[in-house]
Amino acid sequence: MGKKIVISADTTCDLPPEILDKYGISQIPLYISFGDTSYRDGVEITPDEIYQKFEAEGVLPKTSAISIGDFTEYFGRLLEDAQQVVHFSISSGLSCTYQNALIAAKEFPGRVFPVDTLNLSTGQAMMIIRATELAAEGVSAESIVEDAIAYRKRVDANFVIESLEFLHKGGRCSALTALGANLLSIKPCIQVFNGKMDVGKKYRGKFKIALQKYLEERLSTDDLDGQRAFLTYAGCSAEIVDFTHQLVLESGLFQEVFLTRAGCTISSHCGPNTLGLIVARKQDLS
């Protein structure tokens, strides 16, 4: 028997291989489909390839949840070397992945514990890494789940996007909203709250200036949990990534700052030039 408890996630958590390996996190991919052809997220297709297809053909992919059968096979394989699995899924408000994980978990009574993160991207990752630390301390699977459900109320995930084109083409915002944002050079902040995405503050001007304003506001909040933060981006230039990374590091507010690139699922919905600072608060979000 290997680990007592395995912490598991789906690929929408946007954790790179080096962090997955460091914390011993297992992962199962969602699907990205172009027409009748499906690819496993991060395994058989990359975000760059999605953007290349869009530039060449003007077509966005569809994303598909992990099936019950995939989950059943995956959990069974993990339990060959572990006693229990705590699995973190993308918000149930954005995908049926969590519901499918719940159904599959019934095949392994008392051994598989799916958690609805009510979040996406590295908002999930905040919860996942915390869970690995608890598991390493010998905390029970049931207690890890209880902690995650409490902690998710403090995870604050939002991101600024340069264009609403991908969200519009994916059916997540109206044509009128997208047109207005483009005409007014608005860079909207998309926030995740209660498991769903909504438009928050709107920034004006060039993308780099909008990001600077966004990060200055984000870093000036007085109730940040300083343990860790994620700076996560999709399709941004090296200049933008370096500029924003330095702003966060120079704040000195966090013990560690993970710089991560969004995977295929998130990238295909938000499009290039998307960037967010994901943090935890000291108190529950209202």
Side-chain angles (χ1 to χ4, degrees), residues 88 115-119 123-124 126-127 130 145-157 192-195 223 225 279-286:
F88 290 81
V115 176
D116 183 356
T117 65
L118 293 181
N119 222 303
Q124 299 167 246
M126 294 286 286
M127 299 173 63
R130 181 181 173 96
V145 172
E146 289 177 7
D147 178 85
I149 290 171
Y151 181 66
R152 72 186 178 191
K153 299 174 185 176
R154 295 167 44 201
V155 176
D156 185 1
V192 183
F193 190 69
N194 287 335
D223 69 335
D225 181 334
V279 299
R281 303 287 185 173
K282 294 177 182 177
Q283 304 294 327
D284 293 354
L285 297 172
S286 57

Side-chain angles (χ1 to χ4, degrees), residues 5-262:
I5 297 173
V6 167
I7 302 301
S8 167
D10 61 54
T11 47
T12 60
C13 70
D14 292 343
L15 284 171
E18 60 269 22
I19 296 181
L20 295 171
D21 291 343
K22 176 182 178 181
Y23 290 95
I25 300 163
S26 296
Q27 189 170 246
I28 180 171
L30 275 76
Y31 290 92
I32 309 293
S33 301
F34 284 93
D36 295 330
T37 306
S38 291
Y39 305 89
R40 288 177 294 166
D41 180 1
V43 179
E44 298 168 333
I45 192 168
T46 67
D48 283 341
E49 289 170 331
I50 289 174
Y51 294 151
Q52 288 164 10
K53 276 183 170 288
F54 180 74
E55 287 295 322
E57 305 168 19
V59 177
L60 280 177
K62 295 187 181 298
T63 58
S64 301
I66 301 160
S67 70
I68 297 168
D70 281 357
F71 268 128
T72 302
E73 188 277 332
Y74 170 72
F75 291 148
R77 188 169 69 250
L78 292 182
L79 290 170
E80 291 176 1
D81 297 310
Q83 294 178 29
Q84 294 175 310
V85 175
V86 180
H87 176 77
F88 290 81
S89 285
I90 186 172
S91 171
S92 59
L94 300 171
S95 169
C96 64
T97 296
Y98 170 68
Q99 285 85 353
N100 288 352
L102 275 180
I103 294 169
K106 292 179 181 178
E107 298 293 321
F108 312 96
R111 301 190 69 191
V112 177
F113 301 83
V115 176
D116 183 356
T117 65
L118 293 181
N119 222 303
L120 52 74
S121 189
T122 45
Q124 299 167 246
M126 294 286 286
M127 299 173 63
I128 292 162
I129 290 182
R130 181 181 173 96
T132 67
E133 294 169 338
L134 294 176
E137 294 170 4
V139 175
S140 70
E142 292 86 351
S143 295
I144 291 172
V145 172
E146 289 177 7
D147 178 85
I149 290 171
Y151 181 66
R152 72 186 178 191
K153 299 174 185 176
R154 295 167 44 201
V155 176
D156 185 1
N158 59 32
F159 46 93
V160 174
I161 60 178
E162 184 175 46
S163 170
L164 287 170
E165 182 178 20
F166 273 53
L167 284 172
H168 166 52
K169 287 184 180 297
R172 293 184 182 269
C173 81
S174 71
L176 185 61
T177 300
L179 177 63
N182 291 336
L183 288 176
L184 297 171
S185 191
I186 289 172
K187 310 296 183 285
C189 179
I190 307 297
Q191 58 190 21
V192 183
F193 190 69
N194 287 335
K196 296 184 178 180
M197 292 192 297
D198 198 4
V199 177
K201 184 167 183 175
K202 301 178 180 69
Y203 297 89
R204 292 180 182 269
K206 294 184 177 180
F207 188 51
K208 184 176 180 179
I209 299 302
L211 289 177
Q212 182 173 358
K213 293 176 183 176
Y214 160 75
L215 288 174
E216 286 173 351
E217 292 174 3
R218 200 99 167 105
L219 295 167
S220 66
T221 308
D222 60 7
D223 69 335
L224 295 176
D225 181 334
Q227 184 172 15
R228 66 175 57 91
F230 280 88
L231 187 68
T232 302
Y233 64 94
C236 294
S237 67
E239 177 193 0
I240 289 290
V241 173
D242 291 343
F243 171 71
T244 53
H245 193 204
Q246 284 304 309
L247 283 179
V248 177
L249 292 176
E250 288 168 5
S251 74
L253 292 172
F254 306 102
Q255 295 175 31
E256 55 184 352
V257 178
F258 292 109
L259 182 63
T260 60
R261 181 173 182 174

